[in-house]
Amino acid sequence: MTRPRLFLSAVSTELRTARQAVARTVRILGYDPVSQDDFSTGHGELGKWLREQIDACEGLIQLVGQGYGAEPPAHDPEYGRVSYTQLELLYAARQGKKAWVIVVGEQCRRDKPVEQLDLPDDPLHPDPAGYQAERRALQHAYIARLVQANYLRHTTNNDTELENIVLRLRDDLRELRQEQEGKERRRNLVMLAILFFLMVLGSGGWWAYQSLSSNVAQVAVVSTEKIREHLRQTVEETYRRELAEAEAAPDWKERERLRQAVEDTHANRLQRIEELAASFVEIEGRGTATSVFQELTRILEEQGVDEAIAYMATQRAGILETVRTRAVVARERNRKDLEPLLRTAALYDAKGQPTEARALYTEILSVEPDWPEALHETFWFLVGQGEQARVRITLADARRDYEEAHRHAQRLITSDPANTDWQRDLSVSHERIGAVLRAQGDGPGALAAHRRALAIREALAARDPANTQWQRDLSASHNNIGDVLVAQGDGPGALGAYRQMLAITEALTARDPANTDWQRDLSVSHERIGSVLQAQGDGPGALGAYRQALAIHEALTTRDPANTEWQRDLSVSHFRIGSVLQAQGDGPGALGAYRQMLAITEALTARDPANTDWQRDLSVSHERIGSVLQAQGDGPGALGAYRQALAFHEALTARDPANTEWQRDLSVSHFRIGSVLQAQGDGPGALAAYRQALAIHEALSTRDPANTGWQRDLSVSHFSIGAVLQAQGDGPGALGAYRQMLAIHEALTARDPANTQWQRDLSVSHLRIGDVLMAQGDGLGALGAYRQALAIHEALTARDPANTDWQSDLSVSHEKIGDVLQAQGDGAGALAAYRQALAIDVGQP
């Protein structure tokens, strides 16, 4: 029985996507949707086609928006001046078709903004505003006409409500189906009556029919012997021909080889004759043979193999087409039967039973492996599971789910490369895989994955710049690429990526300031830009960017205090502002910001202790508070904070040792504890802590040598170990550690000379090497090292005179140079150096 058809009517330029969503829902309800998407002819033929299609449909659903749409080249003689979309409903009503009208509200997604609808195609039109106003008036009059005729009974305010409205039409549509099925049954009964009447009249009625059946049965008896004889004759002819070809070979050895091969093949064919002949008889005997098979058997009996093959050549195309058609019908029926199971899998997922959902999705795809809807839904299920695994299980589990989702996306693309939904799915899988690779320390792999996603998203955004989802996806790609470039030390590249993200998010929020997702994206753009500016030594610029992000986060959390994602964003803003204030020497301000972060993260982790992201945030809060307390001279307070952070990091790394981000966090805890122990005079304890950090840093930097953050961490470990060894009187050991640190810093600053943090690190290397050389009596070597540090400090303070850390570094350089000159007997030179240091310390120019 055929599925009833529903015509879907809408202005394509405004509501094509909404109409496609309704089409998917209509299919779920068991109906075949028909719309202009199925027809590519020009407007000159469109009116005729629309009438034909509506005539063949049982009903019509129209989505009414604010657009008037395209209109026929001349006024319709029956309906006057109407658009094609208006014509569809008016014609369906006149033909007595059941019709449902749904008004699409302002919050529903549109393919083109309302202000861009109904403008003239000609860019040189003399009055585009008047052209648009005229069509708007026609659309308003049409809506008033629908109100008067009592058509407008459904109004939707968002996309979810639209789907629910269509689903609620189930009962109305069931009546429509029953009417259609009744018509089909009556038509079939009439056909059966006609056939019965013709059968009774033909050939003397029933007895003639029985006689005819008996004769046919006698004719249809298959003779195994005849078939066997024809097969044997064909095999012998083939044997003689192949043997003659073997005899024609010029070399006797080749002739022998070919003869033997012919004999072996001939023997095999003779053995199969009986089996093949019996197979024809067996199939005929089952009573399931088709008319073509029966004719093939008869020809084989009476005329032989050649004629049987010739006959099948004439039937081949028809059989294959029949089978293909049957396969399509069977596939559609399978999918219709599987629909409830597909929905049940989604229910399992919604209920928080992923194991049951995964098993059901897998089972459905084992039956229908190429079903686009099932592949698409399973794709998003797997993406969701990957997100859960990243937070709650391990990166390896997340990567497994993301890669399986990626395979589903590739199958969808293979089935329909032009489908933009499938293109977006593929871009999402690239992004998720890139995120896991980045967390696992594979920077190049992550960058390649994110760039593949970017290429897809750039193409989609160029295809439809008004599609805000695609624009948002594009901004996310720029953000992810920026994150990888930051990790690789490419500050300018990262800043460029983040600014592209900012341009998109600013455009989106300007379009709809009430959209909280876009507001959050805008805050992330400001934060990312601030992080690069901070790394480049632009403290004021970074602080300005972070405060813009903070203002957005405070507004969002005020709007919905229960939103945990926004609460976490707010905590991150406090963290970033605290880091800038700390670098600028504002300890109390930094401590206040970090304690605000701690209060938020404690509330979040109490709410969900299994959330590893929040656990990590809590550890970072303790570490930052500890760093300020340490700078303020509160060693016991700092050590307590650091040990609280260490406990969280040890638990996280035990949970997923492959997570490189957590490994680095653990190393930082060891380092900070070592720094407090060192300040308290516990050299052995500090050295042990530093060496634990060093082991982690060596493993990470070996895993990805291009990761500049890990390279710098490694240099810090060498610095700290060198400092302890120097304090213990192990000059050679300290000098070796400092020179390893220097080699790393030279490589980093050569890679990005604009990175002020790396420049300062390089100066520290020179200062430390100078200290050891000075202690060993190598005044000349020490002086050279100190002057290299001085040159860097002068360049940094010239760049930002307000940076107190850099001013302090400059003072230290002058003092150390003065110490060497004094030891060398150059009193005047030493005095000049000390006076320069003093001027800096007391703030004199």
Side-chain angles (χ1 to χ4, degrees):
M1 189 167 290
T2 59
R3 287 158 59 101
R5 290 153 50 98
L6 290 175
F7 193 91
L8 306 185
S9 173
V11 174
S12 296
T13 54
E14 181 185 12
L15 298 172
R16 182 187 298 276
T17 301
R19 184 172 62 199
Q20 291 171 346
V22 171
R24 288 192 292 270
T25 306
V26 163
R27 288 191 189 95
I28 292 171
L29 294 175
Y31 299 83
D32 286 333
V34 178
S35 70
Q36 286 189 38
D37 290 334
D38 307 315
F39 188 63
S40 59
T41 190
H43 287 157
E45 302 171 335
L46 189 53
K48 178 176 180 294
W49 180 85
L50 291 173
R51 287 175 167 86
E52 292 173 351
Q53 295 304 311
I54 292 171
D55 286 341
C57 290
E58 280 68 50
L60 175 143
I61 297 176
Q62 183 169 92
L63 305 180
V64 176
Q66 297 187 41
Y68 175 71
E71 62 183 0
H75 293 186
D76 191 275
E78 295 182 74
Y79 306 107
R81 185 177 181 184
V82 293
S83 67
Y84 283 110
T85 304
Q86 295 174 358
L87 173 66
E88 290 163 359
L89 176 63
L90 297 174
Y91 178 76
R94 179 164 295 186
Q95 300 306 115
K97 303 288 183 180
K98 182 72 174 178
W100 296 268
V101 177
I102 303 173
V103 177
V104 178
E106 294 181 0
Q107 298 301 315
C108 290
R109 175 177 170 180
R110 283 172 162 78
D111 296 280
K112 184 179 287 189
V114 172
E115 60 270 16
Q116 296 179 20
L117 294 173
D118 297 323
L119 290 171
D121 294 332
D122 183 4
L124 301 178
H125 191 282
D127 184 15
Y131 181 96
Q132 184 186 55
E134 180 184 22
R135 281 151 182 77
R136 289 287 170 80
L138 290 170
Q139 180 68 359
H140 292 158
Y142 172 70
I143 294 174
R145 182 176 178 181
L146 296 180
V147 171
Q148 186 176 5
N150 198 27
Y151 272 113
L152 301 187
R153 299 182 181 179
H154 304 283
T155 300
T156 174
N157 293 315
N158 55 61
D159 297 337
T160 302
E161 193 173 318
L162 173 60
E163 181 181 4
N164 291 335
I165 287 173
V166 178
L167 289 172
R168 287 198 297 270
L169 297 179
R170 188 190 308 270
D171 293 338
D172 291 350
L173 294 174
R174 185 182 296 113
E175 294 178 5
L176 197 64
R177 178 194 289 275
Q178 291 170 350
E179 292 176 7
Q180 191 265 347
E181 289 175 350
K183 292 178 183 177
E184 192 165 340
R185 281 195 298 270
R186 288 191 293 273
R187 185 168 58 250
N188 290 339
L189 288 172
V190 171
M191 291 300 297
L192 286 172
I194 293 171
L195 288 173
F196 178 77
F197 181 70
L198 291 174
M199 183 184 71
V200 171
L201 290 180
S203 303
W206 175 256
W207 294 110
Y209 171 75
Q210 287 288 80
S211 175
L212 178 62
S213 299
S214 176
N215 292 336
V216 169
Q218 291 175 9
V219 172
V221 174
V222 177
S223 171
T224 307
E225 186 55 42
K226 288 182 180 180
I227 292 177
R228 186 186 297 114
E229 184 57 35
H230 283 301
L231 291 173
R232 187 180 294 111
Q233 179 181 345
T234 298
V235 168
E236 292 298 336
E237 289 174 355
T238 304
Y239 168 66
R240 288 192 292 271
R241 185 182 71 254
E242 291 177 347
L243 192 60
E245 292 171 354
E247 294 292 347
D251 181 72
W252 70 270
K253 292 180 181 178
E254 180 68 7
R255 284 196 298 274
E256 284 298 317
R257 187 184 67 79
L258 293 174
R259 285 191 199 114
Q260 187 58 50
V262 170
E263 292 292 344
D264 292 344
T265 303
H266 180 56
N268 289 333
R269 286 171 179 156
L270 288 174
Q271 289 178 0
R272 292 194 59 216
I273 285 176
E274 187 63 36
E275 179 185 347
L276 187 56
S279 70
F280 279 89
V281 177
E282 190 272 331
I283 292 171
E284 286 285 355
R286 288 203 307 257
T288 59
T290 64
S291 60
V292 173
F293 189 90
Q294 290 172 344
E295 182 66 12
L296 169 64
T297 304
R298 180 177 178 181
I299 293 171
L300 184 58
E301 266 191 283
E302 298 175 356
Q303 297 175 270
V305 173
D306 290 342
E307 290 301 318
I309 292 173
Y311 166 69
M312 287 310 300
T314 67
Q315 302 298 311
R316 177 177 176 176
I319 291 173
L320 291 175
E321 181 61 29
T322 299
V323 171
R324 289 191 186 103
T325 303
R326 186 183 301 134
V328 171
V329 173
R331 185 166 62 245
E332 289 180 353
R333 182 165 184 175
N334 286 346
R335 294 174 181 180
K336 180 180 177 182
D337 290 341
L338 289 169
E339 279 284 1
L341 292 181
L342 191 60
R343 301 281 78 77
T344 302
L347 293 176
Y348 276 131
D349 184 26
K351 194 178 177 182
Q353 296 179 320
T355 302
E356 291 81 356
R358 188 188 297 271
L360 191 48
Y361 279 127
T362 301
E363 199 168 7
I364 291 168
L365 288 175
S366 71
V367 178
E368 278 292 327
D370 298 318
W371 186 10
E373 186 177 359
L375 285 169
H376 181 63
E377 290 197 21
T378 307
F379 169 87
W380 283 105
F381 166 76
L382 291 168
V383 167
Q385 290 305 295
E387 295 295 281
Q388 289 291 315
R390 282 177 65 188
V391 175
R392 299 178 180 278
I393 312 177
T394 67
L395 289 173
D397 290 299
R399 185 170 177 177
R400 179 203 66 202
D401 285 331
Y402 290 151
E403 287 178 344
E404 187 178 353
H406 182 67
R407 288 190 288 273
H408 287 353
Q410 287 177 316
R411 290 175 68 180
L412 285 168
I413 286 294
T414 301
S415 67
D416 185 2
N419 188 304
T420 55
D421 285 338
W422 306 163
Q423 290 284 346
R424 182 173 185 267
D425 288 354
L426 186 61
S427 76
V428 168
S429 66
H430 283 308
E431 288 287 12
R432 296 302 196 278
I433 290 171
V436 173
L437 292 174
R438 185 165 79 246
Q440 290 179 330
D442 183 1
L447 190 60
H450 289 317
R451 282 180 169 155
R452 282 192 287 269
L454 177 67
I456 296 171
R457 291 173 173 182
E458 285 179 330
L460 289 175
R463 183 170 181 171
D464 182 3
N467 188 310
T468 55
Q469 180 61 62
W470 294 350
Q471 289 291 339
R472 191 177 182 223
D473 290 343
L474 183 58
S475 76
S477 286
H478 288 304
N479 173 61
N480 292 330
I481 288 172
D483 289 348
V484 178
L485 293 176
V486 164
Q488 293 181 341
D490 183 1
L495 193 59
Y498 292 147
R499 282 179 171 153
Q500 285 181 288
M501 176 190 181
L502 177 65
I504 297 171
T505 54
E506 285 179 330
L508 289 175
T509 52
R511 185 170 182 171
D512 182 4
N515 189 308
T516 55
D517 286 337
W518 298 349
Q519 287 288 342
R520 182 178 183 270
D521 292 344
L522 181 60
S523 73
V524 171
S525 302
H526 288 303
E527 283 182 344
R528 294 295 197 272
I529 289 171
S531 66
V532 178
L533 295 176
Q534 185 177 6
Q536 292 178 343
D538 183 1
L543 194 60
Y546 291 152
R547 282 179 170 153
Q548 284 181 289
L550 177 66
I552 296 172
H553 294 152
E554 288 177 332
L556 290 175
T557 53
T558 299
R559 184 169 182 169
D560 182 4
N563 188 310
T564 56
E565 185 178 34
W566 295 350
Q567 288 288 344
R568 184 177 186 248
D569 291 341
L570 181 60
S571 75
V572 171
S573 282
H574 288 305
F575 160 77
R576 294 184 184 279
I577 288 172
S579 66
V580 177
L581 294 175
Q582 188 175 6
Q584 292 178 341
D586 182 1
L591 191 61
Y594 293 148
R595 282 179 170 153
Q596 285 181 288
M597 175 189 182
L598 178 65
I600 296 170
T601 53
E602 284 180 331
L604 289 175
T605 52
R607 185 168 183 169
D608 182 3
N611 189 306
T612 56
D613 282 342
W614 298 348
Q615 290 286 340
R616 182 176 181 267
D617 292 345
L618 185 57
S619 71
V620 171
S621 302
H622 287 301
E623 278 184 349
R624 287 297 177 164
I625 289 171
S627 68
V628 178
L629 294 175
Q630 186 177 5
Q632 292 176 341
D634 182 2
L639 192 61
Y642 291 151
R643 282 179 171 154
Q644 284 181 289
L646 177 66
F648 287 116
H649 293 153
E650 286 177 330
L652 289 174
T653 52
R655 185 169 186 170
D656 183 5
N659 190 311
T660 57
E661 188 175 30
W662 295 351
Q663 287 288 345
R664 182 182 184 271
D665 292 340
L666 180 61
S667 74
V668 170
S669 287
H670 286 304
F671 167 78
R672 293 189 183 279
I673 289 171
S675 67
V676 177
L677 295 175
Q678 185 180 6
Q680 292 176 341
D682 182 2
L687 194 60
Y690 289 148
R691 282 179 171 155
Q692 285 181 290
L694 176 67
I696 297 171
H697 294 154
E698 286 177 331
L700 291 175
S701 58
T702 300
R703 185 167 186 169
D704 182 6
N707 189 309
T708 56
W710 296 348
Q711 288 292 335
R712 183 174 184 268
D713 291 343
L714 182 61
S715 75
V716 171
S717 290
H718 288 304
F719 163 79
S720 302
I721 290 171
V724 176
L725 294 174
Q726 186 178 4
Q728 292 177 341
D730 183 0
L735 191 61
Y738 291 149
R739 282 179 171 154
Q740 285 181 288
M741 173 176 72
L742 176 66
I744 296 170
H745 292 157
E746 287 177 332
L748 290 175
T749 53
R751 186 167 185 170
D752 183 4
N755 190 307
T756 56
Q757 180 61 63
W758 296 349
Q759 288 289 344
R760 186 172 187 243
D761 291 343
L762 181 60
S763 74
V764 172
S765 298
H766 289 303
L767 287 174
R768 288 295 182 170
I769 289 172
D771 289 344
V772 177
L773 294 175
M774 184 71 175
Q776 292 177 342
D778 183 3
L780 190 61
L783 189 61
Y786 292 150
R787 281 177 171 157
Q788 285 180 290
L790 175 66
I792 297 170
H793 294 153
E794 287 176 331
L796 289 175
T797 52
R799 186 168 183 171
D800 183 4
N803 190 306
T804 57
D805 285 339
W806 296 350
Q807 290 287 346
S808 177
D809 291 343
L810 182 60
S811 168
V812 169
S813 296
H814 286 301
E815 284 182 354
K816 288 185 179 292
I817 289 172
D819 290 343
V820 178
L821 294 175
Q822 185 177 11
Q824 291 177 340
D826 182 2
L831 188 59
Y834 290 148
R835 281 176 172 161
Q836 285 179 293
L838 179 63
I840 295 169
D841 292 340
V842 298
Q844 294 179 358

